[in-house]
Amino acid sequence: MVDTLAIAEQIVAHSRTNLSMDLRFITHAVLSIKVELLEGDGPYSYDGSHLYMYINRVIADYKTDPNRVPRVIAHMVLHLVLGHYKKNLDPLRDLAEDMIVEYALDMIDTPNITLPGKDDRIFVFDRLLKKAGAPTPELLTEELKDVSEWQMKTYPPLFCRDSHDRRDGMEHPEWSEISTQMMIEIEGFSKNLEGSSDALMRVLRLRNRKEVDYRAFLRKFMTSKERVKVDVNEFDPAYYTYGLSLYGNIPLIDALEHSNSPMIEDFVIAIDTSGSTMRGPVVQFIQDVYGIMEQCDITNRTNLHIVQCDNDVRCDDVIRNRQDMHDLIDNLELHGGKGTDFRPVFYYVDSLRSEGELTKIKGLIYFTDGMGVYPSKKPDYPVAFLFCDDRFLDLEVPVWAMKVQIGTGQLAVR
């Protein structure tokens, strides 16, 4: 009697060894997860600790093409490395995650994982990636919504190798650590890989990027001068008036003062209104900025300029109080839609200062989602560029400016 379990175990062990030899940077990930072989036939699947593989399926796939088994192991392991833990309700999201994993493996294309259909998969993915801008499940899912019905029928056979039904939806810190370690190891082997790992490194960087607390950044950026005022909680008027009655015009104890209450006076928020800017993130950003300014003890002398600009300044709305802010949000229209040029805003600020309207400018924050032309001259006030873009492109700013990158999800209404 043929011991199918023993055969399947040998196939899996051999496949894992070949993967470790082909892709040394994946060795730790492959060996960190257990394989559970199940009786009968069924789809490959995984959770945070196991790969589930059916004995008959393993043997049949190995007979068809010995590379099928190591490929599916690499496929499921990369899902875990990239943080694909959730059981998605949207099949397009499932497909997007499978496409990202397959694309990374196709670009590496070592002898033990190459499979037929590589050119077709790369062609399909490159076309979608060009529209999406970055290989993230969120962006690709949006692009898949516009794919025709007959095309959608051809994609799953090309990219899908496992079932996502066993996903547990839990975060797995150990896989996050493995993902970071894999990046380090790929960089160590980069000379030998000759660029074939670039696609995998790109998705790993997106997966491992640290989310910036941009609200904390705003609070720090909006550092303002201190002002002295009476601390009403500590001041006792009884001693004060008793001293006046006893000594004439000399109080027995003076009012306690403190100088740790910040005050902001003039600030400029520039909004990039080139074609891809969305109203929702802009509104939330303005509300966040104003909320932080209120925390910093805003006064009636404060002018918050909301300047809209694409390749030219389109409008300037000045907020002096919360009612002004509500009026702006309720009636906000984005003006522009052309290319991005950052310089006009700085010229405009210079003109306001020369006219005496911005006498005490504390800083300028440029809210943008794309590349533009920067001023050649350093302003004499603090400047920060806040890039709000789910592509997380590696954009450079002048040495005199600060840069923060966030995704649109960080601007979700709380």
Side-chain angles (χ1 to χ4, degrees), residues 276-375:
S276 56
T277 303
M278 297 182 292
R279 186 182 187 278
V282 169
V283 167
Q284 187 60 47
F285 176 68
I286 294 173
Q287 291 176 327
D288 283 344
V289 169
Y290 192 81
I292 290 169
M293 292 180 74
E294 283 189 319
Q295 295 171 13
C296 293
D297 198 17
I298 191 170
T299 73
N300 291 330
R301 292 185 298 165
T302 301
N303 296 317
L304 175 61
H305 288 257
I306 308 296
V307 181
Q308 296 187 36
C309 181
D310 48 6
N311 60 358
D312 199 1
V313 172
R314 301 301 173 182
C315 66
D316 178 10
D317 294 291
V318 183
I319 297 176
R320 295 181 176 86
N321 51 55
R322 178 159 282 276
Q323 186 58 51
D324 286 347
M325 194 270 290
H326 285 311
D327 291 341
L328 173 63
I329 297 302
D330 291 342
N331 302 289
L332 182 66
E333 292 184 14
L334 298 182
H335 304 280
K338 297 184 179 179
T340 304
D341 189 341
F342 301 129
R343 294 172 298 178
V345 168
F346 293 89
Y347 301 151
Y348 177 69
V349 169
D350 288 342
S351 68
L352 290 180
R353 297 180 75 190
S354 64
E355 295 167 4
E357 290 192 37
L358 280 176
T359 57
K360 297 180 180 179
I361 181 171
K362 305 302 296 181
L364 182 151
I365 297 180
Y366 216 121
F367 182 84
T368 177
D369 65 351
M371 296 174 287
V373 183
Y374 293 93

Side-chain angles (χ1 to χ4, degrees), residues 132-136 138-139 206 209 278 369 387-393 406-410:
T136 69
E138 295 80 9
L139 293 174
L206 287 169
R209 67 175 301 277
M278 297 182 292
D369 65 351
F387 294 103
C388 180
D389 185 3
D390 291 329
R391 297 171 297 172
F392 295 104
L393 301 176
I406 64 172
T408 55
Q410 291 173 255

Side-chain angles (χ1 to χ4, degrees), residues 71-79 98 101-102 105 159 162:
R71 176 67 173 237
V72 78
I73 292 175
H75 179 102
M76 292 189 286
V77 165
L78 278 190
H79 271 313
D98 283 328
V101 167
E102 284 296 292
L105 292 174
F159 295 97
D162 62 336

Side-chain angles (χ1 to χ4, degrees), residues 30 65 105 107 137 224 242 333 386:
V30 170
D65 187 334
L105 292 174
M107 296 305 291
S224 59
Y242 177 70
E333 292 184 14
L386 193 147

